[in-house]
Amino acid sequence: MDHNTGIEESVKPLVQSYKKLQPSGQWDVIVIGTGLGSLVSAVMLARQGKKVLMLEQHYTPGGFTHVFKRKRFEWDVGIHYIGEVHNPSSGLRRIFDALSGGQLEWADMGEVYDRLVFGETHYELPKGPEAFSARMKEYFPGESAAIDRYMEMVNEASRAGRGFFMEKAIPPVASAVAGSWMRRKFLRYADRSTLDVLRSLTSNQQLIGVLTGQYGDYGLPPAQSSFAMHAVLVRHYFKGGAFPVGGSSRLFETIAPQVINRGGEIYTNAAVERILIRQGKAVGVRMTDGLELEADAVVSGAGAMNTFGKLLDESIPEAGEWQERLQKIGASASHLSLYIGLNATAEQLNLPRANYWIYPEGYDHDAHIARFLADPEAPLPMTYISFPSAKDPDFSRRYPDRSTIEVITLAPWERFAKWEDTRWKHRGEAYDSFKAGLSERLLAELYRMEPQVRPHIETHELSTPLSTAHFAGYSRGEIYGLAHTPARFRESLLRPRTGVKNLWLTGQDVVTCGIGGALMAGILTASAMTGKNVMGELLSHQ
């Protein structure tokens, strides 16, 4: 993929290219990465008077919130919908309003945000927890008690997460006293798989399949995923979904000025090779060209595996043990994403705002994946279809007479590993042929749902796990960091403080995957570093 900048002209001065200008001087904090977790950490620290330098290896800032362009089209690479933000009084919306100065706008996706398709049977997920519960009872009239208890457990697990995640930011002494109590309730749910919990409520496999039909949003099927992750995710969407007006790049465009306006700098094409450790302390970074940049503290948003496995020098005594512990958790899912451009508008094509989750016949997600892993020609275990141009009311202004679609499925890294050492855009005919076949399979799923789009497709391009590895730096092309298994939530390394003084973590491995998880990780990291309630201070100045 050729990820063009996607940043409006008014924002370009905020970002410098390391190829043209190198930063210099002493910094209070160096932040590795410009994804949402890194960006929010940087903003919160800048608001505390810290001089912040942000370094992004990609030539486009924003991490998975960035967009890329082709000719007359634009696609969002990581954001497909966000919950809660369309409600002006929700906590998440208030934080985004404060971070963006009210410039970040949201478009409600309407009464139905997801449609699940099993074979030829369709299920709608409607907006509002009461409506969701009622619709499930219509689909499964004999399962009212199980559905009620499911809703209760989802809410209980989500509420328990507040204490669990807050504990990650408190000082070690306080954690030693209160940490076990703060984690206890959440771990009751986190220690169990999603399938285990649901089977304790019902024996109806169809109901289980429907209730777990959004598992692709965190990347693990029911038998493997932690129920706590499932609960946090589905509750996030109970009140509906929304999309950023102007596309996902608006998150970076509206939030980044808070760093720059407080004396910070942001560089793209700026790949970090090592975090510099001297006398047991993080003191800066060494770039891939050998330049060393110094700071009082370093914040890594590159992911826990990358931080402990690539960026830390092997001379750190604990580095090997930390890598081993994280490898036991393992990487999250890798994926294919087919980016489609059409020569007609979303209105002309009657494209929906709601997403499709498409599954083969049967309701056993784990069985679907096992079959696909054993046989590449087996039915795709899951296909997700998003219609960003239908969700974004500003799209038609930016791209008249055009629309876009994204079709996504899971893709085992092992099927692409043999091309790992080839160059982007020069991987060979065999790779191109392999991609073409995969694209046709994804198009077939799209045509089954929305056949009217077939004659209007002007272009399409497939992103593979190799694309994710190349642009995002995840070695196995994973999109959600570490896998969201029960073991993940027991791992004490996944918190802002590392075992190295003045080295901090942020991003999706600290909390969970997703926009809400990354945002909260940024807040927790800044809170841990400053010892202050930075979120309270942020909201008090709205």
Side-chain angles (χ1 to χ4, degrees), residues 71-92:
K71 298 178 183 178
R72 296 172 290 177
F73 298 101
E74 170 186 298
W75 294 275
D76 308 85
V77 302
I79 293 182
H80 302 105
Y81 60 154
I82 304 174
E84 303 177 26
V85 290
H86 48 294
N87 175 7
S89 63
S90 75
L92 195 59

Side-chain angles (χ1 to χ4, degrees), residues 306-326:
N306 283 335
T307 302
F308 295 130
K310 294 181 181 179
L311 298 179
L312 271 187
D313 195 287
E314 295 178 358
S315 64
I316 303 299
E318 301 88 352
E321 177 200 339
W322 293 339
Q323 290 179 50
E324 186 177 338
R325 286 163 61 177
L326 296 178

Side-chain angles (χ1 to χ4, degrees), residues 448-469:
R448 187 161 71 90
M449 295 297 106
E450 301 289 338
Q452 76 279 11
V453 306
R454 185 192 291 258
H456 295 280
I457 292 179
E458 183 175 307
T459 185
H460 61 77
E461 181 173 342
L462 187 70
S463 166
T464 75
L466 295 175
S467 310
T468 306

